[in-house]
Amino acid sequence: MAFGFAQAFRTFGKLTLAGVIGASLAAGDVGAEQKTPSPGSAKGLFGAVSLPTQGPAQPVGFYAKGCMTGAVALPTDGPTWEAMRLSRNRRWGNPAMISLLERLSQDGAKYAGWPGILVGDIAQPRGGPMFNGHASHQIGLDADIWFTPMPPRRMTAEEREDLPFTTMLQKDKFLTVDPKVWTESRARLLMLAASYPEVERIFVNPAIKKKMCDTWTGDRTNLGKLRPEYGHDSHFHIRIKCPPGAAGCTPQARVAAGDGCDKSLAWWFTPEPWAPPKPPKPGAKPPKPPREMMVSDLPKACAAVLNAPSVASVQAATYGGPSAASALTAAPAAAPAADTDGALPDVGPVPNDKPAIQ
Ligand SMILES: [Zn+2]
């Protein structure tokens, strides 16, 4: 095995160097500088597909190495959510993820004092690696939620492209949440998301995790699901478990018991995670950049997923049905929210139990 890998590396290495991928990209969601992908690269091929496959929804592989079938799209608008950066075509996910997002948005409005969520990247129509921004989000079970609340109106497509991210951190201090920006409602939204049994991890900046450790006075049972990670200071990242019956989905180990407000968090406040890479010893060969991921590196089924027949249209695969699909285009984007609320689709399951938060 080791020989085979090394050989493959030598064979393809020169052709498939993807440029330097920093530790932060491997860790989560960071806009990495992107070069033109090589022929056969997974991100080139998966990024070029505009529609999901027909048939049942299945995650294939692992969060950071896989693809998916039968994805559905989050409608661009709902009563309590708006999808952002629509041009990226990354509002696709496993139906379990999409229904969870809709439920979170509704419960957030009811229980967390959060008027609605702005949804960032979920996944590409067939999952797989992306041109930029993420190491995971490949099997439809990851989604990014902005720490910015939904405005009380429907934004135009242009506004959704251009709305800047707002960091929760103080710019002049090391790993410190900005008390002028951070609110109790954000804390409640995070713990609400963590309260769902299917949510296994939520990635947040270490400063936000620390803030939660220091200030959350409610039930701390699910605080351990909040995982400190690079970036994640203007959005948080929800990851759900492999859905029941998803045989091709590779599960991730459960988070350790406890609230995570321990030395694993304290480590982030040491110099180690922020130290620049050590310079190579004089005369040593510079390390090779990581090799670009090829379709052949993904689970075998992903090659077939790329070539499988598409659904007829985005509308046909939008969660909640075709009537939910074109909310943004069906109504004039500039129309006041009051005039268009009635036209918004009533999609998503209504929560039948109160989330376990205090
Ligand atoms: Zn993410």
Side-chain angles (χ1 to χ4, degrees), residues 28-29 121-122 133-134 136-137 142-145 203 232 235-239:
D29 311 289
D121 287 354
I122 310 172
H134 308 277
S136 63
H137 290 254
D142 294 280
D144 291 342
I145 314 286
F203 299 106
H232 296 86
H235 78 274
F236 60 100
H237 170 154
I238 296 181
R239 173 169 297 170

Short mmCIF file of all heavy atoms in Angstrom, two decimals, residues 28-29 121-122 133-134 136-137 142-145 203 232 235-239, ligand 1:
data_model
loop_
_atom_site.label_atom_id
_atom_site.label_comp_id
_atom_site.label_asym_id
_atom_site.label_seq_id
_atom_site.Cartn_x
_atom_site.Cartn_y
_atom_site.Cartn_z
N GLY A 28 -10.49 23.62 7.98
CA GLY A 28 -11.87 24.06 7.91
C GLY A 28 -12.18 24.89 6.69
O GLY A 28 -11.99 24.44 5.58
N ASP A 29 -12.64 26.09 6.92
CA ASP A 29 -13.14 26.90 5.82
C ASP A 29 -12.34 28.17 5.69
O ASP A 29 -12.53 29.09 6.44
CB ASP A 29 -14.58 27.32 6.10
CG ASP A 29 -15.41 26.15 6.52
OD1 ASP A 29 -15.69 25.32 5.68
OD2 ASP A 29 -15.74 26.10 7.72
N ASP A 121 -22.23 28.30 2.43
CA ASP A 121 -22.01 27.09 1.64
C ASP A 121 -22.54 25.84 2.35
O ASP A 121 -22.30 25.64 3.54
CB ASP A 121 -20.51 26.89 1.38
CG ASP A 121 -19.98 27.89 0.36
OD1 ASP A 121 -20.77 28.63 -0.23
OD2 ASP A 121 -18.74 27.88 0.15
N ILE A 122 -23.22 25.02 1.57
CA ILE A 122 -23.56 23.66 2.03
C ILE A 122 -22.67 22.73 1.21
O ILE A 122 -21.59 22.35 1.65
CB ILE A 122 -25.07 23.36 1.89
CG1 ILE A 122 -25.90 24.49 2.52
CG2 ILE A 122 -25.39 22.02 2.56
CD1 ILE A 122 -27.40 24.39 2.28
N GLY A 133 -12.28 27.32 -0.53
CA GLY A 133 -13.03 27.56 0.68
C GLY A 133 -13.14 26.43 1.68
O GLY A 133 -13.29 26.70 2.86
N HIS A 134 -13.10 25.20 1.26
CA HIS A 134 -13.40 24.15 2.23
C HIS A 134 -12.57 22.90 1.98
O HIS A 134 -12.33 22.53 0.84
CB HIS A 134 -14.86 23.72 2.16
CG HIS A 134 -15.82 24.84 2.23
ND1 HIS A 134 -16.24 25.39 3.42
CD2 HIS A 134 -16.45 25.53 1.26
CE1 HIS A 134 -17.08 26.37 3.17
NE2 HIS A 134 -17.22 26.48 1.87
N SER A 136 -13.86 20.20 3.82
CA SER A 136 -14.97 19.25 3.97
C SER A 136 -16.15 19.70 3.10
O SER A 136 -15.95 20.07 1.95
CB SER A 136 -15.34 19.10 5.44
OG SER A 136 -15.78 20.33 5.99
N HIS A 137 -17.36 19.60 3.59
CA HIS A 137 -18.55 19.96 2.81
C HIS A 137 -18.67 19.08 1.55
O HIS A 137 -19.16 19.53 0.53
CB HIS A 137 -18.52 21.43 2.36
CG HIS A 137 -18.70 22.44 3.45
ND1 HIS A 137 -19.85 23.17 3.64
CD2 HIS A 137 -17.87 22.84 4.44
CE1 HIS A 137 -19.70 24.00 4.65
NE2 HIS A 137 -18.50 23.80 5.16
N ASP A 142 -22.52 18.98 5.82
CA ASP A 142 -21.91 20.15 6.47
C ASP A 142 -22.59 21.41 5.93
O ASP A 142 -22.96 21.45 4.75
CB ASP A 142 -20.42 20.26 6.09
CG ASP A 142 -19.56 19.13 6.63
OD1 ASP A 142 -19.21 19.19 7.82
OD2 ASP A 142 -19.25 18.20 5.86
N ALA A 143 -22.73 22.41 6.78
CA ALA A 143 -23.31 23.67 6.32
C ALA A 143 -22.77 24.83 7.16
O ALA A 143 -22.53 24.67 8.36
CB ALA A 143 -24.83 23.65 6.41
N ASP A 144 -22.59 25.97 6.50
CA ASP A 144 -22.11 27.18 7.19
C ASP A 144 -23.26 28.14 7.42
O ASP A 144 -24.04 28.43 6.50
CB ASP A 144 -21.06 27.89 6.33
CG ASP A 144 -19.76 27.09 6.24
OD1 ASP A 144 -19.54 26.20 7.08
OD2 ASP A 144 -18.96 27.39 5.33
N ILE A 145 -23.32 28.65 8.63
CA ILE A 145 -24.34 29.65 8.99
C ILE A 145 -23.62 30.92 9.42
O ILE A 145 -22.71 30.87 10.24
CB ILE A 145 -25.18 29.18 10.21
CG1 ILE A 145 -25.62 27.73 10.08
CG2 ILE A 145 -26.35 30.13 10.46
CD1 ILE A 145 -26.70 27.52 9.09
N PHE A 203 -18.27 23.81 14.35
CA PHE A 203 -16.95 24.43 14.37
C PHE A 203 -17.09 25.93 14.57
O PHE A 203 -17.85 26.59 13.85
CB PHE A 203 -16.20 24.13 13.07
CG PHE A 203 -15.97 22.65 12.86
CD1 PHE A 203 -16.71 21.94 11.92
CD2 PHE A 203 -15.05 21.97 13.63
CE1 PHE A 203 -16.52 20.58 11.74
CE2 PHE A 203 -14.85 20.60 13.46
CZ PHE A 203 -15.59 19.91 12.51
N HIS A 232 -13.75 30.58 11.18
CA HIS A 232 -15.05 30.40 11.84
C HIS A 232 -15.34 31.51 12.85
O HIS A 232 -15.90 31.26 13.92
CB HIS A 232 -15.12 29.02 12.51
CG HIS A 232 -15.05 27.90 11.52
ND1 HIS A 232 -13.86 27.38 11.07
CD2 HIS A 232 -16.01 27.21 10.88
CE1 HIS A 232 -14.09 26.43 10.19
NE2 HIS A 232 -15.38 26.30 10.04
N HIS A 235 -18.77 32.98 10.77
CA HIS A 235 -19.80 31.96 10.55
C HIS A 235 -19.48 30.76 11.43
O HIS A 235 -18.35 30.61 11.91
CB HIS A 235 -19.86 31.54 9.09
CG HIS A 235 -18.78 30.57 8.67
ND1 HIS A 235 -17.54 30.98 8.25
CD2 HIS A 235 -18.75 29.22 8.63
CE1 HIS A 235 -16.79 29.94 7.97
NE2 HIS A 235 -17.50 28.84 8.18
N PHE A 236 -20.47 29.94 11.66
CA PHE A 236 -20.21 28.64 12.29
C PHE A 236 -20.60 27.54 11.33
O PHE A 236 -21.34 27.76 10.37
CB PHE A 236 -20.90 28.52 13.65
CG PHE A 236 -22.41 28.64 13.64
CD1 PHE A 236 -23.23 27.51 13.69
CD2 PHE A 236 -23.03 29.89 13.63
CE1 PHE A 236 -24.62 27.61 13.71
CE2 PHE A 236 -24.41 30.00 13.65
CZ PHE A 236 -25.21 28.87 13.69
N HIS A 237 -20.08 26.37 11.58
CA HIS A 237 -20.17 25.26 10.63
C HIS A 237 -20.81 24.07 11.35
O HIS A 237 -20.27 23.57 12.32
CB HIS A 237 -18.74 24.98 10.15
CG HIS A 237 -18.55 23.73 9.35
ND1 HIS A 237 -17.53 23.60 8.44
CD2 HIS A 237 -19.21 22.55 9.31
CE1 HIS A 237 -17.58 22.39 7.88
NE2 HIS A 237 -18.59 21.73 8.40
N ILE A 238 -21.96 23.68 10.85
CA ILE A 238 -22.69 22.57 11.45
C ILE A 238 -22.38 21.29 10.69
O ILE A 238 -22.45 21.26 9.46
CB ILE A 238 -24.21 22.82 11.38
CG1 ILE A 238 -24.59 24.04 12.20
CG2 ILE A 238 -24.99 21.60 11.86
CD1 ILE A 238 -26.07 24.32 12.18
N ARG A 239 -22.06 20.25 11.41
CA ARG A 239 -21.86 18.94 10.79
C ARG A 239 -22.81 17.94 11.44
O ARG A 239 -22.85 17.81 12.67
CB ARG A 239 -20.41 18.49 10.99
CG ARG A 239 -20.16 17.05 10.52
CD ARG A 239 -18.69 16.72 10.48
NE ARG A 239 -18.02 17.57 9.51
CZ ARG A 239 -16.68 17.65 9.38
NH1 ARG A 239 -15.91 16.93 10.18
NH2 ARG A 239 -16.15 18.43 8.46
ZN ZN B 1 -17.92 25.07 6.74
#
